[in-house]
mmCIF file of all heavy atoms in Angstrom:
data_model
loop_
_atom_site.group_PDB
_atom_site.id
_atom_site.type_symbol
_atom_site.label_atom_id
_atom_site.label_comp_id
_atom_site.label_asym_id
_atom_site.label_seq_id
_atom_site.Cartn_x
_atom_site.Cartn_y
_atom_site.Cartn_z
ATOM 1 N N GLY D 159 50.104 126.143 -111.394
ATOM 2 C CA GLY D 159 51.282 125.568 -110.770
ATOM 3 C C GLY D 159 52.052 126.557 -109.922
ATOM 4 O O GLY D 159 52.350 127.673 -110.364
ATOM 5 N N ASP D 160 52.347 126.160 -108.684
ATOM 6 C CA ASP D 160 53.196 126.967 -107.811
ATOM 7 C C ASP D 160 54.282 126.100 -107.176
ATOM 8 O O ASP D 160 54.806 126.422 -106.111
ATOM 9 C CB ASP D 160 52.371 127.677 -106.733
ATOM 10 C CG ASP D 160 51.652 126.721 -105.802
ATOM 11 O OD1 ASP D 160 51.620 125.505 -106.089
ATOM 12 O OD2 ASP D 160 51.124 127.185 -104.768
ATOM 13 N N ASP D 161 54.615 124.997 -107.867
ATOM 14 C CA ASP D 161 55.615 124.064 -107.345
ATOM 15 C C ASP D 161 56.760 123.833 -108.338
ATOM 16 O O ASP D 161 57.410 122.791 -108.325
ATOM 17 C CB ASP D 161 54.956 122.726 -106.989
ATOM 18 C CG ASP D 161 54.253 122.066 -108.178
ATOM 19 O OD1 ASP D 161 54.116 122.728 -109.229
ATOM 20 O OD2 ASP D 161 53.848 120.900 -108.047
ATOM 21 N N TYR D 162 56.996 124.818 -109.200
ATOM 22 C CA TYR D 162 58.113 124.725 -110.144
ATOM 23 C C TYR D 162 59.430 125.022 -109.427
ATOM 24 O O TYR D 162 59.459 125.643 -108.351
ATOM 25 C CB TYR D 162 57.926 125.717 -111.295
ATOM 26 C CG TYR D 162 56.887 125.305 -112.302
ATOM 27 C CD1 TYR D 162 55.564 125.753 -112.192
ATOM 28 C CD2 TYR D 162 57.208 124.476 -113.375
ATOM 29 C CE1 TYR D 162 54.602 125.383 -113.118
ATOM 30 C CE2 TYR D 162 56.248 124.097 -114.313
ATOM 31 C CZ TYR D 162 54.950 124.554 -114.171
ATOM 32 O OH TYR D 162 54.002 124.192 -115.089
ATOM 33 N N ASP D 163 60.513 124.603 -110.049
ATOM 34 C CA ASP D 163 61.844 124.845 -109.496
ATOM 35 C C ASP D 163 62.288 126.267 -109.853
ATOM 36 O O ASP D 163 63.198 126.497 -110.652
ATOM 37 C CB ASP D 163 62.837 123.818 -110.042
ATOM 38 C CG ASP D 163 64.217 123.960 -109.407
ATOM 39 O OD1 ASP D 163 64.313 124.607 -108.338
ATOM 40 O OD2 ASP D 163 65.185 123.431 -109.975
ATOM 41 N N THR D 164 61.600 127.228 -109.257
ATOM 42 C CA THR D 164 61.896 128.648 -109.431
ATOM 43 C C THR D 164 61.876 129.297 -108.053
ATOM 44 O O THR D 164 61.390 128.679 -107.093
ATOM 45 C CB THR D 164 60.845 129.328 -110.334
ATOM 46 O OG1 THR D 164 59.551 129.208 -109.725
ATOM 47 C CG2 THR D 164 60.809 128.700 -111.724
ATOM 48 N N PRO D 165 62.369 130.518 -107.910
ATOM 49 C CA PRO D 165 62.444 131.128 -106.578
ATOM 50 C C PRO D 165 61.122 131.173 -105.814
ATOM 51 O O PRO D 165 61.106 130.998 -104.595
ATOM 52 C CB PRO D 165 62.954 132.540 -106.881
ATOM 53 C CG PRO D 165 63.821 132.356 -108.088
ATOM 54 C CD PRO D 165 63.103 131.322 -108.913
ATOM 55 N N ASP D 166 59.993 131.383 -106.514
ATOM 56 C CA ASP D 166 58.718 131.433 -105.783
ATOM 57 C C ASP D 166 57.750 130.330 -106.206
ATOM 58 O O ASP D 166 56.579 130.340 -105.826
ATOM 59 C CB ASP D 166 58.058 132.809 -105.906
ATOM 60 C CG ASP D 166 57.644 133.173 -107.334
ATOM 61 O OD1 ASP D 166 57.534 132.259 -108.183
ATOM 62 O OD2 ASP D 166 57.428 134.361 -107.604
ATOM 63 N N GLY D 167 58.221 129.371 -107.012
ATOM 64 C CA GLY D 167 57.400 128.229 -107.393
ATOM 65 C C GLY D 167 56.561 128.428 -108.631
ATOM 66 O O GLY D 167 55.966 127.474 -109.140
ATOM 67 N N THR D 168 56.483 129.669 -109.156
ATOM 68 C CA THR D 168 55.686 129.914 -110.362
ATOM 69 C C THR D 168 56.608 130.130 -111.555
ATOM 70 O O THR D 168 57.795 130.457 -111.407
ATOM 71 C CB THR D 168 54.753 131.131 -110.197
ATOM 72 O OG1 THR D 168 55.531 132.314 -109.945
ATOM 73 C CG2 THR D 168 53.784 130.903 -109.048
ATOM 74 N N CYS D 169 56.061 129.936 -112.750
ATOM 75 C CA CYS D 169 56.854 130.006 -113.973
ATOM 76 C C CYS D 169 57.466 131.392 -114.169
ATOM 77 O O CYS D 169 56.840 132.413 -113.864
ATOM 78 C CB CYS D 169 55.980 129.673 -115.176
ATOM 79 S SG CYS D 169 55.414 127.959 -115.232
ATOM 80 N N LEU D 170 58.669 131.403 -114.733
ATOM 81 C CA LEU D 170 59.340 132.649 -115.107
ATOM 82 C C LEU D 170 59.241 132.841 -116.614
ATOM 83 O O LEU D 170 59.524 131.916 -117.387
ATOM 84 C CB LEU D 170 60.820 132.603 -114.725
ATOM 85 C CG LEU D 170 61.206 132.581 -113.251
ATOM 86 C CD1 LEU D 170 62.720 132.455 -113.129
ATOM 87 C CD2 LEU D 170 60.742 133.844 -112.556
ATOM 88 N N ARG D 171 58.826 134.043 -117.011
ATOM 89 C CA ARG D 171 58.735 134.364 -118.432
ATOM 90 C C ARG D 171 59.376 135.712 -118.709
ATOM 91 O O ARG D 171 59.434 136.581 -117.831
ATOM 92 C CB ARG D 171 57.257 134.395 -118.887
ATOM 93 C CG ARG D 171 56.564 133.040 -118.832
ATOM 94 C CD ARG D 171 57.122 132.090 -119.859
ATOM 95 N NE ARG D 171 56.442 130.795 -119.857
ATOM 96 C CZ ARG D 171 56.848 129.744 -119.146
ATOM 97 N NH1 ARG D 171 57.927 129.829 -118.378
ATOM 98 N NH2 ARG D 171 56.193 128.604 -119.204
ATOM 99 N N ASP D 172 59.816 135.890 -119.939
ATOM 100 C CA ASP D 172 60.426 137.141 -120.375
ATOM 101 C C ASP D 172 59.335 138.008 -121.004
ATOM 102 O O ASP D 172 58.967 137.832 -122.161
ATOM 103 C CB ASP D 172 61.539 136.841 -121.392
ATOM 104 C CG ASP D 172 62.394 138.051 -121.709
ATOM 105 O OD1 ASP D 172 61.944 139.186 -121.469
ATOM 106 O OD2 ASP D 172 63.523 137.855 -122.200
ATOM 107 N N TYR D 173 58.803 138.943 -120.220
ATOM 108 C CA TYR D 173 57.764 139.852 -120.712
ATOM 109 C C TYR D 173 58.432 141.087 -121.307
ATOM 110 O O TYR D 173 59.305 141.692 -120.698
ATOM 111 C CB TYR D 173 56.818 140.252 -119.588
ATOM 112 C CG TYR D 173 56.079 139.082 -118.986
ATOM 113 C CD1 TYR D 173 56.445 138.563 -117.747
ATOM 114 C CD2 TYR D 173 55.032 138.465 -119.670
ATOM 115 C CE1 TYR D 173 55.780 137.473 -117.201
ATOM 116 C CE2 TYR D 173 54.365 137.372 -119.143
ATOM 117 C CZ TYR D 173 54.746 136.884 -117.901
ATOM 118 O OH TYR D 173 54.091 135.799 -117.369
ATOM 119 N N ILE D 174 57.999 141.463 -122.508
ATOM 120 C CA ILE D 174 58.553 142.636 -123.182
ATOM 121 C C ILE D 174 57.418 143.583 -123.546
ATOM 122 O O ILE D 174 56.362 143.153 -124.033
ATOM 123 C CB ILE D 174 59.372 142.236 -124.434
ATOM 124 C CG1 ILE D 174 59.907 143.484 -125.153
ATOM 125 C CG2 ILE D 174 58.575 141.349 -125.384
ATOM 126 C CD1 ILE D 174 60.879 143.180 -126.282
ATOM 127 N N HIS D 175 57.621 144.864 -123.280
ATOM 128 C CA HIS D 175 56.591 145.858 -123.587
ATOM 129 C C HIS D 175 56.369 145.902 -125.091
ATOM 130 O O HIS D 175 57.324 145.912 -125.880
ATOM 131 C CB HIS D 175 57.022 147.227 -123.070
ATOM 132 C CG HIS D 175 55.898 148.208 -122.938
ATOM 133 N ND1 HIS D 175 55.168 148.663 -124.016
ATOM 134 C CD2 HIS D 175 55.359 148.810 -121.835
ATOM 135 C CE1 HIS D 175 54.248 149.512 -123.595
ATOM 136 N NE2 HIS D 175 54.342 149.618 -122.271
ATOM 137 N N VAL D 176 55.123 145.956 -125.506
ATOM 138 C CA VAL D 176 54.794 145.917 -126.929
ATOM 139 C C VAL D 176 55.386 147.099 -127.683
ATOM 140 O O VAL D 176 55.719 146.989 -128.875
ATOM 141 C CB VAL D 176 53.261 145.826 -127.132
ATOM 142 C CG1 VAL D 176 52.569 147.100 -126.673
ATOM 143 C CG2 VAL D 176 52.907 145.500 -128.576
ATOM 144 N N VAL D 177 55.559 148.239 -127.011
ATOM 145 C CA VAL D 177 56.176 149.397 -127.677
ATOM 146 C C VAL D 177 57.660 149.130 -127.936
ATOM 147 O O VAL D 177 58.183 149.484 -128.996
ATOM 148 C CB VAL D 177 55.964 150.677 -126.843
ATOM 149 C CG1 VAL D 177 56.762 151.844 -127.429
ATOM 150 C CG2 VAL D 177 54.478 151.034 -126.788
ATOM 151 N N ASP D 178 58.339 148.502 -126.978
ATOM 152 C CA ASP D 178 59.720 148.079 -127.227
ATOM 153 C C ASP D 178 59.777 147.118 -128.406
ATOM 154 O O ASP D 178 60.636 147.233 -129.293
ATOM 155 C CB ASP D 178 60.299 147.381 -125.984
ATOM 156 C CG ASP D 178 60.826 148.355 -124.939
ATOM 157 O OD1 ASP D 178 61.254 149.459 -125.319
ATOM 158 O OD2 ASP D 178 60.800 148.005 -123.751
ATOM 159 N N LEU D 179 58.867 146.170 -128.411
ATOM 160 C CA LEU D 179 58.836 145.175 -129.479
ATOM 161 C C LEU D 179 58.626 145.845 -130.837
ATOM 162 O O LEU D 179 59.294 145.514 -131.826
ATOM 163 C CB LEU D 179 57.727 144.166 -129.201
ATOM 164 C CG LEU D 179 57.681 142.921 -130.076
ATOM 165 C CD1 LEU D 179 58.967 142.131 -129.972
ATOM 166 C CD2 LEU D 179 56.486 142.048 -129.685
ATOM 167 N N ALA D 180 57.704 146.792 -130.882
ATOM 168 C CA ALA D 180 57.448 147.519 -132.126
ATOM 169 C C ALA D 180 58.700 148.230 -132.616
ATOM 170 O O ALA D 180 59.038 148.200 -133.813
ATOM 171 C CB ALA D 180 56.317 148.526 -131.904
ATOM 172 N N GLU D 181 59.423 148.850 -131.687
ATOM 173 C CA GLU D 181 60.641 149.554 -132.071
ATOM 174 C C GLU D 181 61.706 148.577 -132.568
ATOM 175 O O GLU D 181 62.527 148.918 -133.433
ATOM 176 C CB GLU D 181 61.146 150.384 -130.899
ATOM 177 C CG GLU D 181 60.218 151.567 -130.602
ATOM 178 C CD GLU D 181 60.594 152.346 -129.353
ATOM 179 O OE1 GLU D 181 61.574 151.967 -128.673
ATOM 180 O OE2 GLU D 181 59.898 153.338 -129.066
ATOM 181 N N GLY D 182 61.669 147.341 -132.054
ATOM 182 C CA GLY D 182 62.578 146.317 -132.552
ATOM 183 C C GLY D 182 62.348 146.013 -134.020
ATOM 184 O O GLY D 182 63.296 145.732 -134.775
ATOM 185 N N HIS D 183 61.100 146.077 -134.454
ATOM 186 C CA HIS D 183 60.793 145.829 -135.867
ATOM 187 C C HIS D 183 61.318 146.955 -136.753
ATOM 188 O O HIS D 183 61.780 146.713 -137.872
ATOM 189 C CB HIS D 183 59.285 145.655 -136.055
ATOM 190 C CG HIS D 183 58.771 144.365 -135.530
ATOM 191 N ND1 HIS D 183 58.565 144.149 -134.190
ATOM 192 C CD2 HIS D 183 58.439 143.202 -136.145
ATOM 193 C CE1 HIS D 183 58.123 142.913 -134.001
ATOM 194 N NE2 HIS D 183 58.041 142.318 -135.177
ATOM 195 N N VAL D 184 61.241 148.179 -136.264
ATOM 196 C CA VAL D 184 61.799 149.301 -137.022
ATOM 197 C C VAL D 184 63.306 149.125 -137.170
ATOM 198 O O VAL D 184 63.870 149.320 -138.254
ATOM 199 C CB VAL D 184 61.477 150.637 -136.328
ATOM 200 C CG1 VAL D 184 62.152 151.796 -137.074
ATOM 201 C CG2 VAL D 184 59.968 150.863 -136.278
ATOM 202 N N LYS D 185 63.963 148.735 -136.095
ATOM 203 C CA LYS D 185 65.409 148.522 -136.158
ATOM 204 C C LYS D 185 65.757 147.378 -137.106
ATOM 205 O O LYS D 185 66.802 147.394 -137.768
ATOM 206 C CB LYS D 185 65.967 148.277 -134.758
ATOM 207 C CG LYS D 185 65.984 149.533 -133.886
ATOM 208 C CD LYS D 185 66.685 149.310 -132.582
ATOM 209 C CE LYS D 185 66.744 150.594 -131.757
ATOM 210 N NZ LYS D 185 67.572 151.643 -132.414
ATOM 211 N N ALA D 186 64.875 146.381 -137.187
ATOM 212 C CA ALA D 186 65.105 145.271 -138.122
ATOM 213 C C ALA D 186 65.027 145.752 -139.565
ATOM 214 O O ALA D 186 65.851 145.353 -140.404
ATOM 215 C CB ALA D 186 64.093 144.159 -137.874
ATOM 216 N N ILE D 187 64.063 146.610 -139.875
ATOM 217 C CA ILE D 187 63.959 147.187 -141.220
ATOM 218 C C ILE D 187 65.219 147.987 -141.547
ATOM 219 O O ILE D 187 65.801 147.873 -142.637
ATOM 220 C CB ILE D 187 62.712 148.086 -141.331
ATOM 221 C CG1 ILE D 187 61.425 147.253 -141.280
ATOM 222 C CG2 ILE D 187 62.752 148.929 -142.607
ATOM 223 C CD1 ILE D 187 61.153 146.443 -142.522
ATOM 224 N N GLN D 188 65.661 148.796 -140.601
ATOM 225 C CA GLN D 188 66.861 149.603 -140.809
ATOM 226 C C GLN D 188 68.091 148.726 -140.996
ATOM 227 O O GLN D 188 68.971 149.046 -141.800
ATOM 228 C CB GLN D 188 67.041 150.564 -139.626
ATOM 229 C CG GLN D 188 65.932 151.611 -139.541
ATOM 230 C CD GLN D 188 65.908 152.370 -138.216
ATOM 231 O OE1 GLN D 188 66.500 151.920 -137.218
ATOM 232 N NE2 GLN D 188 65.238 153.507 -138.199
ATOM 233 N N TYR D 189 68.144 147.632 -140.259
ATOM 234 C CA TYR D 189 69.262 146.691 -140.376
ATOM 235 C C TYR D 189 69.308 146.100 -141.778
ATOM 236 O O TYR D 189 70.380 146.016 -142.400
ATOM 237 C CB TYR D 189 69.114 145.599 -139.326
ATOM 238 C CG TYR D 189 70.227 144.578 -139.314
ATOM 239 C CD1 TYR D 189 71.375 144.779 -138.539
ATOM 240 C CD2 TYR D 189 70.131 143.399 -140.054
ATOM 241 C CE1 TYR D 189 72.401 143.843 -138.520
ATOM 242 C CE2 TYR D 189 71.160 142.460 -140.037
ATOM 243 C CZ TYR D 189 72.286 142.689 -139.265
ATOM 244 O OH TYR D 189 73.298 141.766 -139.250
ATOM 245 N N LEU D 190 68.147 145.673 -142.287
ATOM 246 C CA LEU D 190 68.103 145.089 -143.633
ATOM 247 C C LEU D 190 68.539 146.104 -144.677
ATOM 248 O O LEU D 190 69.235 145.761 -145.645
ATOM 249 C CB LEU D 190 66.695 144.585 -143.948
ATOM 250 C CG LEU D 190 66.198 143.389 -143.138
ATOM 251 C CD1 LEU D 190 64.784 143.010 -143.573
ATOM 252 C CD2 LEU D 190 67.133 142.183 -143.260
ATOM 253 N N ASP D 191 68.152 147.358 -144.501
ATOM 254 C CA ASP D 191 68.510 148.399 -145.472
ATOM 255 C C ASP D 191 70.021 148.582 -145.591
ATOM 256 O O ASP D 191 70.523 148.960 -146.650
ATOM 257 C CB ASP D 191 67.875 149.736 -145.073
ATOM 258 C CG ASP D 191 66.393 149.794 -145.393
ATOM 259 O OD1 ASP D 191 65.951 149.034 -146.276
ATOM 260 O OD2 ASP D 191 65.678 150.593 -144.760
ATOM 261 N N SER D 192 70.741 148.296 -144.505
ATOM 262 C CA SER D 192 72.170 148.605 -144.479
ATOM 263 C C SER D 192 73.063 147.362 -144.530
ATOM 264 O O SER D 192 74.278 147.468 -144.365
ATOM 265 C CB SER D 192 72.508 149.416 -143.225
ATOM 266 O OG SER D 192 72.199 148.675 -142.051
ATOM 267 N N HIS D 193 72.455 146.187 -144.754
ATOM 268 C CA HIS D 193 73.247 144.952 -144.772
ATOM 269 C C HIS D 193 73.016 144.158 -146.055
ATOM 270 O O HIS D 193 72.073 144.411 -146.805
ATOM 271 C CB HIS D 193 72.918 144.094 -143.543
ATOM 272 C CG HIS D 193 73.560 144.597 -142.288
ATOM 273 N ND1 HIS D 193 73.065 145.700 -141.622
ATOM 274 C CD2 HIS D 193 74.637 144.165 -141.579
ATOM 275 C CE1 HIS D 193 73.824 145.932 -140.560
ATOM 276 N NE2 HIS D 193 74.773 145.020 -140.516
ATOM 277 N N ASP D 194 73.899 143.197 -146.260
ATOM 278 C CA ASP D 194 73.836 142.377 -147.458
ATOM 279 C C ASP D 194 72.660 141.401 -147.404
ATOM 280 O O ASP D 194 72.058 141.186 -146.346
ATOM 281 C CB ASP D 194 75.141 141.590 -147.627
ATOM 282 C CG ASP D 194 76.337 142.501 -147.887
ATOM 283 O OD1 ASP D 194 76.128 143.614 -148.416
ATOM 284 O OD2 ASP D 194 77.470 142.092 -147.555
ATOM 285 N N ALA D 195 72.373 140.815 -148.541
ATOM 286 C CA ALA D 195 71.282 139.856 -148.641
ATOM 287 C C ALA D 195 71.558 138.617 -147.803
ATOM 288 O O ALA D 195 72.702 138.304 -147.462
ATOM 289 C CB ALA D 195 71.048 139.477 -150.095
ATOM 290 N N GLY D 196 70.469 137.907 -147.476
ATOM 291 C CA GLY D 196 70.572 136.692 -146.673
ATOM 292 C C GLY D 196 69.569 136.721 -145.537
ATOM 293 O O GLY D 196 68.682 137.574 -145.494
ATOM 294 N N VAL D 197 69.720 135.773 -144.617
ATOM 295 C CA VAL D 197 68.785 135.644 -143.490
ATOM 296 C C VAL D 197 69.510 135.997 -142.194
ATOM 297 O O VAL D 197 70.608 135.507 -141.931
ATOM 298 C CB VAL D 197 68.230 134.209 -143.394
ATOM 299 C CG1 VAL D 197 67.308 134.068 -142.181
ATOM 300 C CG2 VAL D 197 67.476 133.843 -144.671
ATOM 301 N N CYS D 198 68.889 136.861 -141.397
ATOM 302 C CA CYS D 198 69.411 137.164 -140.068
ATOM 303 C C CYS D 198 68.336 136.823 -139.042
ATOM 304 O O CYS D 198 67.150 136.717 -139.368
ATOM 305 C CB CYS D 198 69.838 138.627 -139.947
ATOM 306 S SG CYS D 198 68.544 139.832 -140.324
ATOM 307 N N LEU D 199 68.752 136.654 -137.813
ATOM 308 C CA LEU D 199 67.869 136.163 -136.760
ATOM 309 C C LEU D 199 68.174 136.874 -135.449
ATOM 310 O O LEU D 199 69.342 136.997 -135.065
ATOM 311 C CB LEU D 199 68.074 134.651 -136.590
ATOM 312 C CG LEU D 199 67.532 133.976 -135.339
ATOM 313 C CD1 LEU D 199 66.017 134.050 -135.291
ATOM 314 C CD2 LEU D 199 68.004 132.520 -135.287
ATOM 315 N N PHE D 200 67.105 137.332 -134.764
ATOM 316 C CA PHE D 200 67.297 138.005 -133.481
ATOM 317 C C PHE D 200 66.188 137.630 -132.506
ATOM 318 O O PHE D 200 65.016 137.556 -132.881
ATOM 319 C CB PHE D 200 67.286 139.530 -133.654
ATOM 320 C CG PHE D 200 68.382 140.051 -134.528
ATOM 321 C CD1 PHE D 200 68.123 140.368 -135.852
ATOM 322 C CD2 PHE D 200 69.672 140.207 -134.045
ATOM 323 C CE1 PHE D 200 69.126 140.845 -136.683
ATOM 324 C CE2 PHE D 200 70.685 140.683 -134.863
ATOM 325 C CZ PHE D 200 70.416 141.001 -136.189
ATOM 326 N N ASN D 201 66.574 137.423 -131.257
ATOM 327 C CA ASN D 201 65.609 137.368 -130.161
ATOM 328 C C ASN D 201 65.244 138.786 -129.755
ATOM 329 O O ASN D 201 66.116 139.658 -129.699
ATOM 330 C CB ASN D 201 66.224 136.692 -128.924
ATOM 331 C CG ASN D 201 66.381 135.195 -129.070
ATOM 332 O OD1 ASN D 201 65.662 134.558 -129.823
ATOM 333 N ND2 ASN D 201 67.330 134.637 -128.338
ATOM 334 N N LEU D 202 63.980 139.005 -129.432
ATOM 335 C CA LEU D 202 63.563 140.277 -128.847
ATOM 336 C C LEU D 202 62.911 139.996 -127.500
ATOM 337 O O LEU D 202 61.833 139.412 -127.420
ATOM 338 C CB LEU D 202 62.582 141.017 -129.765
ATOM 339 C CG LEU D 202 63.143 141.528 -131.090
ATOM 340 C CD1 LEU D 202 62.082 142.326 -131.840
ATOM 341 C CD2 LEU D 202 64.397 142.383 -130.897
ATOM 342 N N GLY D 203 63.593 140.390 -126.461
ATOM 343 C CA GLY D 203 63.088 140.222 -125.094
ATOM 344 C C GLY D 203 63.804 141.203 -124.194
ATOM 345 O O GLY D 203 64.526 142.091 -124.655
ATOM 346 N N THR D 204 63.630 141.027 -122.887
ATOM 347 C CA THR D 204 64.323 141.896 -121.935
ATOM 348 C C THR D 204 65.578 141.247 -121.377
ATOM 349 O O THR D 204 66.414 141.911 -120.782
ATOM 350 C CB THR D 204 63.405 142.264 -120.753
ATOM 351 O OG1 THR D 204 63.069 141.068 -120.036
ATOM 352 C CG2 THR D 204 62.134 142.950 -121.238
ATOM 353 N N GLY D 205 65.674 139.923 -121.525
ATOM 354 C CA GLY D 205 66.824 139.217 -120.997
ATOM 355 C C GLY D 205 66.690 138.815 -119.545
ATOM 356 O O GLY D 205 67.656 138.372 -118.930
#
């Protein structure tokens, strides 16, 4: 498809480097270590 309602007609996606993503998981572990019990939720992307 090249006829989408986007600036150049093709789909837009949020690509994130796998190394950034991996580091996000480390930060999630650290977050759990320093916070109370329960469920937290985060998007990981470039924005």
